[in-house]
Amino acid sequence: MINYNEKNKTFTLDNNEITYIIRIDEKAHLNHLYFGKKICLADNVEELLYGHLEDKLFGGDRLLNTYVNKEYGSYGTGDYRSPAFIIKQENGSKISNFCYHSHKVYKGKKSLHPMPSSYVEDESEATTLEILLYDEVSETELRLFYTIFAKHNIIARHCEFTQKGNSPIYIEKAMSLQLDLADMEYEFITFSGSWGREKEIRSRKLNWGTQSVSSTKGVSSAEHNPSFILKREHCNEDSGVAYGFAFVYSGNFLCEVDVSTYDQSRINIGIHPQNFTWKLEKGETFTTPEAVMAYTYKGLNKMSQDFHKLFRERLCRGKFRDKARPILLNNWEATEMTFDEDKIMSIAKKAKEAGVELFVLDDGWFGKRNDEVHGLGDWFPNLEKLPSGISGLSRKVTDLGMKFGLWFEPEMANMASELYEKHPDYIFRTKDRHSHSFRYQYVLDFSRKEVVDYIYKQMHKVISESEISYIKWDMNRYFTEVYNIELEADRQGEVMHRYILGVYSLYDRLTKEFPEILFESCSSGGARFDAGILYYAPQTWSSDNTDANDRVEIQYSNSFFYPISSHGAHVSAVPNNQTNRITDIETRANISYFGAFGYELDLNEISEEEFEIVKKQIEFYKKNREVFQFGNYYRLLSPYENNNAGFMSVAKDGSKAFALFYERLAKPNRAPKRLKLRGLDKDSVYEVSILGISKIYYGSYLMNVGISTYISDIPKKSGDFNALLIEISKI
Ligand code: DGJ
């Protein structure tokens, strides 16, 4: 899978479908030659090197190399595109000259733990190339890591800087991945939005200059997701060329494409350089987070399936990685913080009666938490509301025959809290300046171990005294006034990254100490829905917007990179909390099935008739959840382009599939539409049932002709916001 050609001085990484080629030039610099569909290289590697001819024509010093495609381009020696890294030396110079020193190839993959990274279980699953470069003046080593997977068309990358010299260096920019593509004929597809409307798909053609998405907010954010696609114009779900990129990190990020006026596209992915510097003293190493890149010539759906498989099976970890997720009911939308034990038990009992497996108590159970102003940081039960505490309540719930789950927001404090009274210095605060609050809360300085320890102790106590099977880890504000009161001035640029390392370290301790607990991450909905967090929490709450119509879009967008088992998706009450929209309970469930399914309402409040429907939904999902959560997922119709949406999951063994057809607004007398299915066996015969009416078809028919979806033809199904569930069983 990785071969070094001594004559050409090229490294070739390949599997059955893709090839990646790097070359060491005559000045011992690394050029990027190729990433794409599998090719074989004869002798003339020079022709692959984009930009070389121009430099020769101008008779330039090869060091200038302005438009030569680089592997990890530096700053200040004539390449004016956005560099992969900048290191400032003691004399203030930011110039470097990293030259090839040596390399290693080995089976398997290096772990970055406790920083998240993809992994292998057997060394034959991947091969890694480690290239060591050295800059003589600053006496710094730079290691570039490339892992190619045997069965995924994905390459994982990261870098390490190690200071060997006596003088410290300051890393001002250190991308995890740089990729120089030879042209600019791509659409740049990003997943951007805001609270309640996460991951809207945005597309623009690349153009000269820099285009980027980023976060400097402390978390990966709801505004931009740290993942994007570059696709050729004619690439669609089924065919065509695209590159996909994801950053395996939960903090500030930059995903940029710098397009030169010679039409080359330079991709950089890494920690956002704004507010970042890292001081490296002799003997110290700085490791960048991991970034992964995929290539497909088989369309976007194939690329998503590759990401799903890698993230689900070799990024997520723990007991729940391959396990069907419990059907949960969360009390947040039903009660917010206004409840007592009787109220909670009445919701829990009704949930049990419906067949729910896990009851989750959300915000409001601790300290003096009756509103947003009080209690964050005090992770001990509010005995006025819950006289038997969390230990008593959790036992009462488990005695009903359900598991019990609990909400925490470990990274935050209110000023009205015991934590703040005892440790006012624990929150981020810049000396002599006002600290801004948001939702009356402040960010705890998790870059300090002492602060993380304090929270760990409190959480550990509640968890170990109670029967807890699930934790929802929330995070509800972006950062301001970031400053660590213990670090020296020249290390303040490290705080945001140290913070995320603090978050990962707390996750690490808790997941090790309590391996039986399922973690779900959350950040005002989906503001921290990134690949990094999946390493610790295999599912993420997709959005605070639980409206079925909007969830079709959000879940559809999630599916480009993140496996279906990771999308927290719940049925909530109507009119919807956020949109006031009314959709029927079947539509709400049919959409939520495509995720880690649950409910977000008090089942005592719905009609008897609806309650009977809920019971049937739960029974249905228990039988079929593996197909939804772990099946091969296909997007069929985009809600961003149509009045309709469609997607489906096919069981790994092909025996069963479920498809969703969604119609946003009803139209009388509209043109008949057919939904073409994907992923079936063309020669097999299937029974297809919609609302209890079954018909028999060949796979080839279903995939090429499709099934009729004229919703107004189906009894009881006219009206807006209709999601039909289609069950497909192989005969
Ligand atoms: C934001 C989350 O997204 C909600 O689900 C809920 O847990 C609230 N926080 C509680 O404050």
Side-chain angles (χ1 to χ4, degrees):
M1 281 163 72
I2 297 179
N3 167 45
Y4 178 60
N5 180 325
E6 185 63 58
K7 192 168 150 232
N8 288 335
K9 298 216 176 316
T10 51
F11 299 98
T12 304
L13 294 75
D14 55 19
N15 63 21
N16 286 336
E17 309 219 22
I18 58 170
T19 297
Y20 189 96
I21 307 174
I22 303 165
R23 168 184 180 247
I24 310 167
D25 74 9
E26 61 275 21
K27 298 266 186 184
H29 296 147
L30 295 186
N31 302 143
H32 176 69
L33 295 193
Y34 181 78
F35 179 35
K37 193 171 180 180
K38 188 163 183 164
I39 56 168
C40 290
L41 200 58
D43 270 356
N44 201 351
V45 293
E46 291 267 315
E47 281 176 22
L48 260 179
L49 181 60
Y50 193 87
H52 172 65
L53 283 177
E54 283 83 350
D55 282 331
K56 257 200 178 151
L57 274 178
F58 291 111
D61 181 343
R62 283 305 304 273
L63 258 185
L64 274 170
N65 277 344
T66 306
Y67 293 109
V68 169
N69 281 356
K70 311 282 183 349
E71 256 321 298
Y72 199 68
S74 61
Y75 163 82
T77 56
D79 183 341
Y80 301 99
R81 290 168 292 174
S82 184
F85 68 97
I86 301 174
I87 54 167
K88 190 169 102 182
Q89 293 129 66
E90 268 228 311
N91 63 1
S93 165
K94 297 182 182 180
I95 312 304
S96 62
N97 181 24
F98 281 92
C99 294
Y100 170 82
H101 178 275
S102 56
H103 72 269
K104 282 197 249 175
V105 173
Y106 45 86
K107 287 205 170 311
K109 183 174 187 298
K110 192 173 166 169
S111 163
L112 307 190
H113 191 86
M115 241 187 338
S117 60
S118 54
Y119 59 90
V120 294
E121 287 200 332
D122 184 301
E123 293 209 324
S124 65
E125 291 173 15
T127 312
T128 297
L129 166 66
E130 193 180 310
I131 305 178
L132 174 61
L133 307 159
Y134 189 65
D135 177 47
E136 277 184 0
V137 174
S138 64
E139 299 177 274
T140 309
E141 284 182 356
L142 167 58
R143 280 185 178 74
L144 307 182
F145 293 81
Y146 301 80
T147 297
I148 181 158
F149 293 91
K151 295 215 173 105
H152 312 290
N153 295 337
I154 293 180
I155 293 175
R157 294 178 53 179
H158 78 276
C159 314
E160 280 177 12
F161 291 84
T162 302
Q163 184 53 1
K164 303 301 261 186
N166 289 325
S167 311
I169 58 162
Y170 294 86
I171 302 169
E172 295 190 338
K173 181 179 185 184
M175 294 289 102
S176 298
L177 173 162
Q178 179 169 88
L179 178 69
D180 278 357
L181 295 174
D183 68 83
M184 58 176 273
E185 296 308 315
Y186 297 98
E187 281 166 38
F188 179 40
I189 299 174
T190 65
F191 302 89
S192 303
S194 188
W195 172 87
R197 52 180 181 88
E198 293 89 342
K199 297 198 195 72
E200 286 181 19
I201 300 175
R202 295 277 139 166
S203 177
R204 62 195 113 151
K205 265 184 83 76
L206 286 184
N207 213 331
W208 292 350
T210 302
Q211 34 258 284
S212 68
V213 287
S214 64
S215 165
T216 52
K217 300 183 163 82
V219 280
S220 44
S221 90
E223 281 68 23
H224 298 291
N225 196 258
S227 62
F228 68 98
I229 294 168
L230 290 181
K231 83 166 188 72
R232 294 293 193 197
E233 190 185 348
H234 297 296
C235 171
N236 57 31
E237 289 290 350
D238 287 323
S239 63
V241 166
Y243 295 92
F245 302 89
F247 193 27
V248 188
Y249 187 65
S250 311
N252 290 350
F253 74 88
L254 174 66
C255 292
E256 66 176 355
V257 191
D258 181 2
V259 184
S260 76
T261 50
Y262 290 93
D263 295 355
Q264 298 149 287
S265 305
R266 166 167 291 182
I267 294 129
N268 281 322
I269 300 174
I271 295 176
H272 204 301
Q274 185 177 310
N275 299 329
F276 172 82
T277 47
W278 196 276
K279 183 178 182 183
L280 213 55
E281 303 214 60
K282 186 174 183 166
E284 288 179 346
T285 294
F286 176 78
T287 304
T288 71
E290 178 167 293
V292 290
M293 54 188 196
Y295 170 81
T296 179
Y297 58 92
K298 294 179 178 166
L300 296 177
N301 217 115
K302 171 70 178 63
M303 192 195 79
S304 296
Q305 287 185 359
D306 259 9
F307 276 115
H308 290 181
K309 210 164 161 26
L310 182 75
F311 288 174
R312 193 174 61 221
E313 295 174 7
R314 294 292 182 267
L315 177 62
C316 293
R317 299 172 308 141
K319 189 181 143 196
F320 283 91
R321 188 187 77 176
D322 308 317
K323 229 177 142 182
R325 304 295 158 74
I327 300 170
L328 68 81
L329 184 138
N330 177 307
N331 71 307
W332 175 247
E333 287 200 17
T335 63
E336 298 209 337
M337 295 178 210
T338 313
F339 56 78
D340 57 18
E341 194 176 287
D342 288 346
K343 178 76 180 169
I344 292 302
M345 285 309 293
S346 84
I347 299 175
K349 278 183 192 146
K350 196 70 179 174
K352 172 65 192 164
E353 198 187 323
V356 166
E357 297 162 312
L358 164 71
F359 174 79
V360 179
L361 179 60
D362 209 281
D363 193 352
W365 59 267
F366 49 90
K368 294 205 166 60
R369 185 74 164 173
N370 292 313
D371 54 36
E372 293 179 346
V373 181
H374 296 88
L376 281 177
D378 296 342
W379 302 109
F380 46 83
N382 178 333
L383 296 177
E384 274 168 31
K385 278 165 126 171
L386 305 171
S388 51
I390 291 299
S391 62
L393 177 67
S394 64
R395 283 188 180 87
K396 286 183 189 168
V397 171
T398 50
D399 284 349
L400 294 175
M402 255 188 308
K403 304 268 188 211
F404 179 80
L406 195 59
W407 179 96
F408 287 92
E409 192 173 359
E411 301 155 66
M412 298 290 152
N414 290 120
M415 278 198 181
S417 66
E418 277 189 33
L419 180 148
Y420 188 78
E421 268 167 38
K422 284 195 215 149
H423 301 286
D425 62 307
Y426 275 11
I427 64 166
F428 273 142
R429 170 177 288 148
T430 305
K431 204 167 172 278
D432 304 327
R433 293 193 189 277
H434 171 71
S435 275
H436 286 87
S437 71
F438 176 83
R439 207 194 184 201
Y440 308 98
Q441 63 192 61
Y442 298 84
V443 183
L444 289 171
D445 183 356
F446 264 38
S447 69
R448 289 168 60 191
K449 184 167 180 305
E450 177 192 352
V451 179
V452 177
D453 284 349
Y454 180 91
I455 297 297
Y456 171 75
K457 264 190 218 131
Q458 290 197 61
M459 291 179 76
H460 188 277
K461 185 163 186 305
V462 189
I463 301 167
S464 50
E465 285 173 359
S466 316
E467 297 283 329
I468 293 178
S469 304
Y470 161 106
I471 286 175
K472 178 174 170 187
W473 177 320
D474 205 348
M475 194 293 184
N476 285 309
R477 66 157 285 183
Y478 296 151
F479 296 13
T480 54
E481 291 85 28
V482 173
Y483 192 84
N484 175 317
I485 53 167
E486 287 171 346
L487 283 180
E488 311 85 80
D490 64 353
R491 285 197 180 271
Q492 289 301 326
E494 300 175 13
V495 179
M496 302 281 248
H497 180 53
R498 284 180 186 270
Y499 177 96
I500 291 294
L501 296 180
V503 170
Y504 291 146
S505 77
L506 181 57
Y507 259 120
D508 191 36
R509 287 161 84 176
L510 292 169
T511 49
K512 278 194 180 126
E513 183 74 21
F514 304 105
E516 303 297 313
I517 293 181
L518 168 64
F519 281 79
E520 175 154 350
S521 68
C522 173
S523 178
S524 305
R528 206 192 245 164
F529 200 148
D530 53 64
I533 214 74
L534 292 180
Y535 186 73
Y536 287 107
Q539 57 192 63
T540 299
W541 182 225
S542 301
S543 178
D544 276 349
N545 183 350
T546 52
D547 171 67
N549 179 66
D550 294 356
R551 273 307 183 98
V552 170
E553 291 180 5
I554 293 169
Q555 289 173 218
Y556 183 90
S557 301
N558 281 347
S559 80
F560 279 84
F561 285 88
Y562 306 113
I564 306 309
S565 54
S566 69
H567 311 177
H570 301 170
V571 173
S572 61
V574 288
N576 181 269
N577 241 2
Q578 312 300 349
T579 62
N580 227 14
R581 188 177 284 126
I582 296 179
T583 56
D584 81 31
I585 194 136
E586 281 166 1
T587 283
R588 278 173 273 155
N590 289 345
I591 293 163
S592 302
Y593 291 152
F594 288 82
F597 178 67
Y599 292 85
E600 189 95 8
L601 76 175
D602 181 353
L603 294 173
N604 293 299
E605 305 277 312
I606 61 175
S607 68
E608 269 305 305
E609 194 196 344
E610 280 194 331
F611 187 67
E612 289 309 310
I613 297 175
V614 166
K615 283 209 284 210
K616 290 211 181 86
Q617 291 172 345
I618 291 174
E619 211 180 295
F620 162 82
Y621 197 69
K622 282 180 183 165
K623 270 196 232 130
N624 295 299
R625 61 184 136 189
E626 270 92 352
V627 181
F628 291 101
Q629 294 175 0
F630 300 105
N632 291 324
Y633 178 87
Y634 297 84
R635 287 177 295 271
L636 305 177
L637 287 172
S638 168
Y640 293 93
E641 292 159 16
N642 292 292
N643 187 34
N644 303 110
F647 34 81
M648 68 184 286
S649 283
V650 184
K652 279 185 190 159
D653 67 3
S655 62
K656 189 124 203 135
F658 290 98
L660 183 105
F661 177 76
Y662 179 66
E663 182 153 284
R664 187 171 289 126
L665 297 180
K667 276 248 184 293
N669 204 21
R670 72 154 162 79
K673 276 207 176 82
R674 287 176 192 274
L675 184 69
K676 289 184 189 164
L677 304 184
R678 290 195 175 119
L680 303 176
D681 171 28
K682 66 177 174 31
D683 298 321
S684 295
V685 177
Y686 295 88
E687 180 180 348
V688 174
S689 54
I690 308 178
L691 293 169
I693 304 164
S694 298
K695 292 187 187 164
I696 305 295
Y697 300 91
Y698 271 100
S700 55
Y701 181 97
L702 292 170
M703 293 190 289
N704 293 300
V705 180
I707 35 188
S708 167
T709 56
Y710 203 19
I711 287 186
S712 1
D713 275 356
I714 299 167
K716 290 205 315 194
K717 270 286 153 187
S718 46
D720 297 335
F721 317 118
N722 263 304
L724 277 186
L725 189 70
I726 303 165
E727 181 165 353
I728 304 125
S729 316
K730 200 190 243 182
I731 298 179

